């Protein structure tokens, strides 16, 4: 038997080389195809999981946002109510101060003497004929009899007049 020449050996191996290349290329294509499918499946799975996470996060965010919104609304209502009550208190205090000023101004009118006489008469009606009546330094009268006392000072009379208004005074600043 004779040893083939390098050209003859190369020609004889050419079909084997061609078949090996073809088989290698086919195997590579099959591996690439499998890898592509697996990558696509993995991406699809990852996208589905991401959508699930995103949907859950969105629902949680909406729930938390609604809760925060409700809390903010409650706080805003409380703040508004506190401001409204403070404004009403200030308005009432201003009304009380002005009423007191107007009642105190009676001292400087021509009718003040007759006002004192009527107050003394009323004090004696309430406490009896032995009532001691004294003019108060800020105006009006204070009366005493048998352990009882009547306060007819101008400030007290003004305060009682406002108390008699009761809830009607709120109509002054109610909408």
């Amino acid at each position: 038997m004779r040893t083939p020449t390098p050209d003859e050996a190369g020609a004889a191996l050419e079909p084997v080389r061609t078949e090996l290349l073809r088989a290698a290329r086919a195997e590579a294509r099959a591996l690439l195809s499998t890898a592509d499918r697996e990558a696509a499946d993995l991406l699809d799975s990852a996208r589905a999981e991401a959508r699930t996470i995103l949907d859950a996060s969105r629902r949680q965010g909406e729930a938390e946002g609604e809760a925060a919104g409700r809390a903010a609304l409650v706080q805003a209502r409380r703040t508004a109510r506190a401001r409204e009550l403070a404004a009403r208190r200030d308005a009432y205090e201003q009304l009380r101060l002005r009423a007191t000023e107007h009642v105190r101004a009676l001292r400087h009118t021509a009718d003040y003497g007759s006002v004192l006489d009527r107050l003394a008469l009323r004090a004696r009606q309430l406490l009896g004929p032995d009532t001691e009546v004294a003019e108060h330094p800020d105006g009006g009268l204070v009366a005493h009899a048998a352990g009882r006392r009547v306060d007819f000072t101008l400030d007290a009379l003004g305060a009682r007049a406002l108390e008699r208004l009761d809830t009607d005074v709120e109509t002054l600043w109610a909408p």
Side-chain angles (χ1 to χ4, degrees):
M1 179 157 233
R2 121 173 146 67
T3 304
T5 65
D7 287 337
E8 291 173 334
L13 291 176
E14 188 59 36
V16 173
R17 187 179 335 177
T18 302
E19 182 55 29
L20 284 175
L21 274 172
R22 187 203 57 74
R25 286 184 181 133
E27 187 177 344
R29 279 192 300 273
L31 287 172
L32 285 174
S33 178
T34 300
D36 286 345
R37 277 192 314 275
E38 288 175 359
D41 290 345
L42 187 60
L43 281 173
D44 289 344
S45 176
R47 285 184 184 118
E49 186 177 348
R51 277 190 300 273
T52 301
I53 291 170
L54 184 61
D55 289 344
S57 295
R58 185 177 293 122
R59 283 190 303 274
Q60 182 181 355
E62 287 171 355
E64 289 173 2
E66 286 176 10
R70 283 190 302 273
L73 183 59
V74 166
Q75 183 58 40
R77 285 180 179 157
R78 285 181 184 154
T79 300
R81 181 67 176 153
R83 287 180 182 166
E84 177 185 359
L85 291 175
R88 285 182 179 198
R89 184 180 56 248
D90 290 346
Y92 183 80
E93 185 61 25
Q94 287 297 316
L95 176 64
R96 190 188 64 73
L97 288 173
R98 287 184 181 169
T100 300
E101 288 172 3
H102 284 290
V103 171
R104 284 181 181 174
L106 285 173
R107 293 175 69 192
H108 307 294
T109 65
D111 294 333
Y112 184 60
S114 67
V115 168
L116 289 178
D117 291 341
R118 286 192 309 253
L119 291 174
L121 178 63
R122 181 67 181 141
R124 286 187 178 91
Q125 288 172 343
L126 293 171
L127 301 178
D130 295 336
T131 301
E132 293 181 26
V133 177
E135 189 172 349
H136 191 273
D138 291 331
L141 302 174
V142 177
H144 302 274
R148 298 183 309 164
R149 180 176 188 269
V150 173
D151 184 354
F152 282 157
T153 61
L154 294 179
D155 289 354
L157 293 170
R160 284 197 288 271
L162 279 178
E163 287 172 8
R164 280 192 304 273
L165 288 175
D166 196 27
T167 57
D168 292 339
V169 76
E170 290 187 20
T171 61
L172 297 174
W173 53 74

